[in-house]
Amino acid sequence: MNIDSIQNGVVIDHITAGLGMRLYELLDLASLDASIALIKNVNSKKMGKKDIIKIDANIELNLDVIGFVDPDATVNIIKDGVLVDKRCIDMPQTLTNVIKCKNPRCITSCEQELDHIFKLTDKEGKVYRCIYCETKA
Ligand code: ZN
């Protein structure tokens, strides 16, 4: 794959340097049967350093995951070599089954079928809390 010219796919740009790998893991990109490039520490005029993820496939990404990991990232949709859509990301109000509660006494630890749901409780501090036990994410 020529990482500079995706014909049809998605480019997640302006990822805060160091967060690209976390995003790659939480988006579960390893399970995709597509060419994916994670480029770390790219020089950026605006940000100093940034990470970029390029996915050579037209897939629907979970924007909530991106907003949780890095609300400053941008998502570019490319079709036939042309940028057709640019999406700005916002922090999601709720996160469902993206992260798991770390509290061993949380009800989600014993009730396996429960959804893991976190709510944004402090937008400034980027704090998410488990809706069952209020443990911080
Ligand atoms: Zn919990």
Side-chain angles (χ1 to χ4, degrees):
M1 171 171 70
N2 180 347
I3 54 170
D4 290 323
S5 61
I6 283 182
Q7 286 303 303
N8 289 287
V10 185
V11 177
I12 312 171
D13 200 356
H14 303 112
I15 305 167
T16 304
L19 292 178
M21 196 65 208
R22 179 108 211 269
L23 205 48
Y24 181 90
E25 283 165 4
L26 280 182
L27 285 170
D28 198 19
L29 294 179
S31 71
L32 275 185
D33 190 23
S35 297
I36 297 166
L38 167 59
I39 309 153
K40 293 171 70 173
N41 298 320
V42 181
N43 285 315
S44 159
K45 275 196 190 118
K46 245 184 3 190
M47 306 168 64
K49 299 267 187 213
K50 64 176 180 180
D51 291 355
I52 304 173
I53 295 175
K54 299 189 181 194
I55 305 163
D56 206 5
N58 262 315
I59 55 154
E60 278 297 318
L61 291 172
N62 185 340
L63 297 183
D64 285 354
V65 173
I66 301 170
F68 167 65
V69 174
D70 189 358
D72 296 326
T74 51
V75 175
N76 303 298
I77 313 291
I78 293 150
K79 286 205 170 98
D80 299 323
V82 179
L83 177 67
V84 293
D85 197 6
K86 194 173 188 124
R87 292 186 202 159
C88 288
I89 311 294
D90 205 3
M91 265 184 259
Q93 290 302 313
T94 53
L95 279 174
T96 305
N97 294 328
V98 174
I99 43 172
K100 287 185 156 61
C101 185
K102 290 197 179 94
N103 175 8
R105 275 183 267 170
C106 180
I107 188 164
T108 56
S109 301
C110 39
E111 307 262 340
Q112 301 290 332
E113 70 282 1
L114 271 183
D115 284 332
H116 290 255
I117 304 171
F118 283 78
K119 266 201 182 325
L120 181 63
T121 55
D122 172 10
K123 198 167 178 184
E124 299 292 300
K126 216 184 153 195
V127 176
Y128 283 87
R129 286 180 191 278
C130 174
I131 62 160
Y132 306 102
C133 69
E134 298 198 331
T135 294
K136 260 196 201 179

